[in-house]
């Protein structure tokens, strides 16, 4: 059918009875298709412009045939099935038929891209992890040995250097923060070792959390991303890298249109630090945080719910001398709005070490601004858990009072010893919990051995004080009491307890 077929021609066909009703409907559908439905016409131009900067990453390592190498992954991780099948295939390549368990070499392939003509190459950390030998293969087939300059496991990024006898084609990062949903993007990489493969799609979502690390804010795209695309670039239609392709969700092992890329705005500071220092130097605030639930937001008169609730403050961290306290809700950090809990770790991490920043918190319903000098996050820093104590002893007979299904007791030396509670922790011990207790956050449930430190931001020292505070809140018409709870090690968290 001629692309110049118009509605005028159609009307002529109708007048002459040359078109049946069915054909008429098909003609209308076809002529109504806008050019944009076929995709932007400059995809080929962009691909031609940038493809020489996209490289294949080839790695090899020597492994003991007895070791499967299966990594530890969180339950339900999108990568779990991929690694399971990958290592099954490896075992089928001779590992199980080696009676002497002699070391053997294992090869793997991924993607990357050049960001500097001198030979700086970006890829995923998992592409080169534990490799004894790394090679970069250019689009023209040239194979260059690569040196690892630095890697970051938290963002899954790595920086390599290669040396060539001429300047290499390089690409620049763009601004991923300007991406819009539905915007066209182009992925180029080395899927299934095919090399130089171009796929296109749209931005399906932004700021995706797939539970792969503490700074998840992936770009989701339906551009076909397969095994081997990891580490490759995701381009906008200006030929700028706006993401690094990192993970897929796929029951079959192939693309089903759900791929994830590290945003360029997240990657650039990491790559800059790896280039300058060979390691990352992230900012550190020294707090443990929780999500601000609807119940907690209501108790604090925060509408709509937003921010990050400070559950605990590190005694040696920067937040304590800055005046940050448990119970504060951080709503702005260094000029950045904190809309939800997971925004804060990313913003803090990107803040230069030593910088003095303004931290805006809501404390007892009022906004306050505190100045904090940011420290450096060390890999050895303990990541505190907000899970309740799991191995607490059974309930104790010396219970003094029962309130809202909680059996409470005043602190004593015997109870400290029984529940392994530090001497510095003050409050009321939970010695039993009725199954009917309604806690609005299932992952923050109370357990025997927990210590109630505060009820609705007021300290309590005995069960009677807990009861009195709860009675007071009920008289005020409150539906929820927010408890500050400590485990035996002094790690605190907030629990919203239903009063009805």
């Amino acid at each position: 059918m001629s692309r110049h077929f118009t509605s005028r021609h159609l009307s002529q066909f109708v007048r002459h009875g040359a078109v049946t009703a069915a054909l008429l409907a098909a003609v209308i559908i076809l002529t109504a298709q806008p050019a944009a439905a076929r995709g932007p016409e400059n995809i080929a131009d962009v691909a031609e412009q940038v493809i020489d900067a996209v490289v294949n990453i080839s790695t090899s390592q020597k492994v003991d045939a007895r070791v499967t190498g299966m990594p530890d992954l969180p339950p339900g991780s999108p990568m779990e099935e991929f690694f399971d099948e990958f290592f099954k295939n490896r075992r089928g390549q001779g590992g199980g038929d080696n009676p002497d368990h002699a070391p053997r070499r294992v090869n793997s392939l991924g993607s990357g891209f050049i960001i500097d003509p001198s030979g700086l190459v970006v890829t995923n950390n998992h592409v080169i992890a534990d490799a004894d030998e790394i090679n970069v293969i250019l689009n023209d087939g040239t194979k260059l040995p690569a040196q690892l300059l630095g890697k970051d496991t938290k963002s899954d990024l790595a920086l390599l250097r290669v040396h060539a006898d001429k300047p290499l084609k390089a690409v620049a990062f763009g601004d991923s923060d300007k991406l819009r949903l539905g915007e066209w993007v182009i992925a180029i990489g080395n899927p299934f070792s095919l090399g130089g493969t171009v796929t296109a799609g749209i931005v399906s979502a932004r700021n995706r959390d797939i539970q792969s690390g503490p700074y998840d804010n992936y770009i989701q795209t339906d551009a076909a991303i397969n095994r081997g695309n990891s580490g490759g670039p995701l381009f906008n239609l200006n030929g700028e890298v706006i993401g690094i392709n990192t993970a897929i969700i796929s029951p079959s092992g192939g693309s089903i249109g759900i791929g994830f890329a590290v945003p360029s705005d997240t990657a650039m500071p990491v790559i800059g630090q790896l280039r300058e220092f060979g390691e990352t130097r992230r900012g550190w605030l020294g707090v443990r945080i929780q999500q601000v639930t609807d119940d907690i937001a209501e108790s604090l008169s925060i509408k709509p719910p937003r921010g990050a609730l400070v559950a605990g403050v590190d005694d040696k961290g920067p937040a304590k001398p800055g005046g940050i306290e448990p119970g504060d809700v951080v709503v702005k950090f260094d000029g950045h709005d904190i809309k939800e809990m997971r925004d804060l770790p990313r913003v803090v991490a990107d803040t230069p070490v030593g910088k003095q920043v303004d931290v805006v918190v809501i404390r007892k319903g009022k906004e306050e601004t505190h100045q904090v000098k940011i420290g450096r996050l060390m890999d050895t820093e303990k990541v505190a858990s907000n899970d309740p104590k799991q191995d607490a002893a059974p309930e104790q007979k010396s219970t003094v009072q029962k309130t809202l299904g909680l059996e409470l007791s005043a602190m004593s030396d015997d109870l400290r010893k029984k529940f392994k509670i530090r001497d510095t922790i003050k409050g009321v011990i939970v010695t039993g919990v009725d199954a009917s207790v309604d806690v609005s956050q299932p992952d923050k449930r109370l357990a025997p051995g927990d210590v109630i430190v505060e009820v609705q931001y007021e300290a309590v020292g005995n069960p009677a004080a807990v009861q009195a505070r709860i009675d007071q809140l009920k008289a005020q018409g409150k539906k929820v009491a927010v408890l500050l709870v400590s485990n035996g090690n002094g790690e605190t968290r907030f629990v919203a307890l239903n009063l009805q």
Side-chain angles (χ1 to χ4, degrees):
M1 183 178 293
S2 170
R3 64 186 297 179
H4 301 296
F5 190 91
T6 66
S7 58
R8 181 175 60 83
H9 295 127
L10 178 61
S11 64
Q12 291 175 352
F13 274 119
V14 173
R15 283 198 304 271
H16 290 89
V19 185
T20 66
L23 180 57
L24 175 61
V27 170
I28 292 173
I29 292 172
L30 289 172
T31 56
Q33 292 289 334
R38 300 189 298 269
E41 295 181 356
N42 65 329
I43 285 180
D45 295 333
V46 174
E48 185 178 8
Q49 170 191 340
V50 302
I51 196 166
D52 285 339
V54 183
V55 301
N56 298 342
I57 307 291
S58 172
T59 68
S60 66
Q61 67 179 114
K62 187 180 291 186
V63 299
D64 189 321
R66 294 170 294 185
V67 179
T68 65
M70 183 69 178
D72 291 328
L73 295 170
S77 168
M79 301 300 290
E80 189 171 27
E81 184 175 345
F82 165 74
F83 279 112
D84 182 54
E85 184 175 340
F86 173 73
F87 283 103
K88 283 180 182 176
N89 291 339
R90 276 180 33 172
R91 288 193 290 272
Q93 295 173 0
D97 300 325
N98 186 352
D100 298 326
H101 302 297
R104 58 190 175 86
R105 297 204 72 80
V106 176
N107 300 315
S108 63
L109 292 169
S111 306
F113 56 99
I114 302 168
I115 60 168
D116 189 285
S118 66
L120 292 179
V121 178
V122 173
T123 187
N124 280 141
N125 174 64
H126 76 257
V127 170
I128 54 84
D130 302 320
D132 302 322
E133 181 181 318
I134 306 172
N135 289 289
V136 168
I137 304 170
L138 305 181
N139 190 44
D140 63 5
T142 303
K143 186 175 183 179
L144 302 172
Q147 170 195 3
L148 177 62
L149 294 184
K151 61 183 181 179
D152 178 49
T153 57
K154 290 183 174 66
S155 61
D156 195 15
L157 296 174
L159 184 64
L160 311 175
R161 177 177 289 283
V162 297
H163 297 281
D165 54 8
K166 60 179 180 181
L168 300 175
K169 170 68 177 179
V171 287
F173 282 109
D175 187 352
S176 60
D177 194 47
K178 293 181 179 179
L179 283 177
R180 298 180 299 162
L181 298 185
E183 182 173 337
W184 281 89
V185 288
I186 304 167
I188 306 181
N190 182 32
F192 301 108
S193 305
L194 293 174
T197 299
V198 179
T199 57
I202 62 169
V203 175
S204 305
R206 294 179 52 193
N207 200 27
R208 281 292 195 220
D209 183 358
I210 62 173
Q211 304 294 313
S212 67
Y215 308 117
D216 280 15
N217 66 332
Y218 289 100
I219 300 167
Q220 181 183 327
T221 178
D222 68 350
I225 297 174
N226 291 284
R227 298 176 187 177
N229 274 107
S230 286
L234 189 68
F235 292 101
N236 61 20
L237 294 185
N238 294 323
E240 300 168 324
V241 178
I242 46 82
I244 296 96
N245 301 319
T246 299
I248 61 173
I249 291 179
S250 173
S252 64
S255 173
I256 61 169
I258 304 178
F260 302 97
V262 178
S264 58
D265 287 0
T266 297
M268 285 190 291
V270 174
I271 297 303
Q273 291 182 1
L274 294 179
R275 184 174 186 174
E276 184 176 359
F277 308 115
E279 62 181 359
T280 52
R281 298 185 178 182
R282 289 188 169 93
W284 179 50
L285 185 58
V287 297
R288 287 181 296 107
I289 56 175
Q290 291 179 212
Q291 187 72 28
V292 178
T293 64
D294 291 341
D295 290 330
I296 290 176
E298 182 180 349
S299 72
L300 294 173
S301 301
I302 300 176
K303 297 180 180 180
R306 66 188 190 279
L309 175 63
V310 177
V313 178
D314 193 303
D315 287 337
K316 298 180 180 179
K320 188 165 187 175
I324 307 298
E325 299 177 357
D328 288 344
V329 176
V330 180
V331 293
K332 185 171 288 189
F333 181 92
D334 197 21
H336 299 275
D337 289 330
I338 305 301
K339 296 179 181 179
E340 55 182 301
M341 178 188 71
R342 62 193 182 98
D343 292 339
L344 185 61
R346 292 198 301 266
V347 175
V348 172
D350 291 341
T351 304
V353 176
K355 182 178 181 181
Q356 194 90 8
V357 301
D358 286 338
V359 181
V360 179
V361 304
I362 295 177
R363 180 180 297 173
K364 297 181 179 179
K366 297 181 180 180
E367 279 197 3
E368 298 181 4
T369 300
H370 296 263
Q371 284 201 326
V372 179
K373 185 177 181 180
I374 297 303
R376 180 184 174 185
L377 177 66
M378 307 300 291
D379 287 339
T380 55
E381 293 292 344
K382 180 181 179 182
V383 179
S385 171
N386 285 329
D387 291 336
K389 191 177 182 68
Q390 300 296 321
D391 57 352
E395 71 177 69
Q396 163 156 323
K397 294 182 180 179
S398 59
T399 298
V400 173
Q401 191 163 343
K402 188 167 184 176
T403 301
L404 294 175
L406 301 177
E407 295 183 359
L408 307 176
S409 178
M411 190 70 72
S412 68
D413 292 339
D414 288 343
L415 290 177
R416 283 191 188 278
K417 184 177 181 180
K418 180 173 184 176
F419 292 111
K420 298 178 181 178
I421 300 171
R422 291 182 178 178
D423 292 340
T424 55
I425 299 171
K426 309 295 183 185
V428 179
I429 301 177
V430 177
T431 55
V433 182
D434 191 279
S436 64
V437 172
D438 185 3
V439 177
S440 65
Q441 301 157 277
D443 60 331
K444 303 293 187 293
R445 294 197 182 280
L446 295 167
D450 283 335
V451 179
I452 299 176
V453 180
E454 295 179 358
V455 178
Q456 202 73 13
Y457 314 107
E458 286 191 9
V460 289
N462 55 63
V466 174
Q467 183 66 64
R469 183 64 172 140
I470 287 175
D471 290 342
Q472 182 184 29
L473 294 173
K474 285 183 175 181
Q476 294 172 357
K478 299 288 187 181
K479 298 178 181 179
V480 173
V482 177
L483 312 181
L484 177 62
V485 179
S486 174
N487 65 13
N489 292 322
E491 296 170 348
T492 54
R493 68 188 189 279
F494 285 92
V495 175
L497 184 67
N498 197 317
L499 297 180
Q500 298 179 335

